[in-house]
Amino acid sequence: MKQILYSGFIAGLLLLIFGYAGLYTAVKFFPGLFLEYNNPLFNSDGSRDILFYLHSFVISFALSWFWQRFKSLFHGSFVVRGLEFGCVYAVVALLPVMWITFSALDVTFIMVASWFIYGLLQAVFAGLVFSKLNP
């Protein structure tokens, strides 16, 4: 349990930093995509903003538990293990969630695809952290 919490916390901090850097980079290079967020679907009164900021820790602790449970199935160097881990998560969890999101909400395919890519990168990055800290 201690290993799950430690690697989950470290991955959460790194994902928070990675997320903010990625957001600013994406806005700079893909400003048109972010114009789509001027939609009433994404307006918030600010009362739940903390939940948005805690996302990196929620996902990292969940992925840390998943890593602890299934790490013996991933073989190779830490890079290969991290990549495989991220891809497994993307296929098992992200793809179905993005499918239902696209089918149920009024969002564009490009927006959902960007969320999928972001989630895949988060999982690969977390997998690299876990394979280094908790081999």
Side-chain angles (χ1 to χ4, degrees):
M1 185 63 157
K2 183 178 178 181
Q3 194 66 18
I4 293 171
L5 294 175
Y6 175 72
S7 59
F9 182 74
I10 297 300
L13 282 175
L14 293 173
L15 285 177
L16 183 64
I17 294 165
F18 166 73
Y20 275 99
L23 177 64
Y24 285 109
T25 303
V27 167
K28 181 177 174 108
F29 291 107
F30 306 104
L33 174 63
F34 291 92
L35 289 176
E36 295 182 34
Y37 285 96
N38 290 329
N39 181 326
L41 180 66
F42 298 111
N43 286 341
S44 172
D45 65 1
S47 64
R48 297 179 297 174
D49 286 354
I50 188 69
L51 299 177
F52 177 80
Y53 298 113
L54 290 175
H55 169 263
S56 62
F57 293 98
V58 172
I59 190 73
S60 67
F61 286 124
L63 289 174
S64 183
W65 173 83
F66 184 73
W67 174 261
Q68 184 67 30
R69 182 101 166 112
F70 297 104
K71 67 183 177 183
S72 64
L73 300 176
F74 303 107
H75 303 288
S77 69
F78 88 95
V79 173
V80 171
R81 294 174 79 201
L83 284 169
E84 187 177 6
F85 177 78
C87 290
V88 166
Y89 168 75
V91 169
V92 170
L94 281 177
L95 186 62
V97 168
M98 293 301 114
W99 185 279
I100 196 67
T101 300
F102 181 66
S103 67
L105 298 175
D106 187 23
V107 292
T108 65
F109 177 78
I110 296 297
M111 187 178 285
V112 173
S114 72
W115 294 342
F116 180 84
I117 292 167
Y118 177 66
L120 172 64
L121 291 174
Q122 277 186 313
V124 168
F125 190 76
L128 293 171
V129 170
F130 301 147
S131 65
K132 268 299 199 189
L133 295 179
N134 185 9

